[in-house]
């Protein structure tokens, strides 16, 4: 997994309202992954789920502040 890609994806979701809305409007996870890949992010469903399950909101906020 590219941890940098996952972190960059979360950062873009937080900082780019238009991108976040596009992701939110996707009908399912596969469509979200396809949109993320088309935006240059490289991860799959298992990787993003694993990352999301392994990190708390506080940890994510701290990482994004770096």
């Amino acid at each position: 997994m590219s941890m940098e890609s996952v972190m960059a994806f979360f950062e873009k979701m937080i900082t780019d309202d238009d991108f976040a809305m596009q992701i939110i409007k996707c009908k399912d996870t596969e469509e979200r992954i396809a949109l993320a890949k088309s935006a240059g992010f490289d991860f799959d469903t298992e990787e993003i789920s694993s990352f999301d399950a392994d990190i708390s909101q506080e940890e994510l906020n701290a990482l994004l502040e770096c």
Side-chain angles (χ1 to χ4, degrees):
M1 165 166 83
S2 171
M3 198 61 127
E4 293 83 20
S5 186
V6 173
M7 289 302 303
F9 172 77
F10 278 109
E11 183 174 357
K12 187 162 179 80
M13 286 286 295
I14 291 168
T15 61
D16 185 336
D17 292 339
D18 291 334
F19 180 73
M21 288 307 297
Q22 289 175 353
I23 293 292
I24 290 167
K25 288 180 180 179
C26 291
K27 66 181 176 181
D28 58 28
T29 301
E30 293 304 316
E31 190 174 318
R32 287 183 196 96
I33 295 292
L35 179 58
K37 285 188 179 199
S38 73
F41 301 101
D42 186 25
F43 53 81
D44 61 25
T45 305
E46 290 179 27
E47 292 168 337
I48 196 79
S49 295
S50 173
F51 177 81
D52 194 32
D54 290 343
I55 192 166
S56 69
Q57 184 64 44
E58 293 80 22
E59 290 170 318
L60 179 59
N61 289 339
L63 287 170
L64 292 174
E65 289 174 2
C66 294

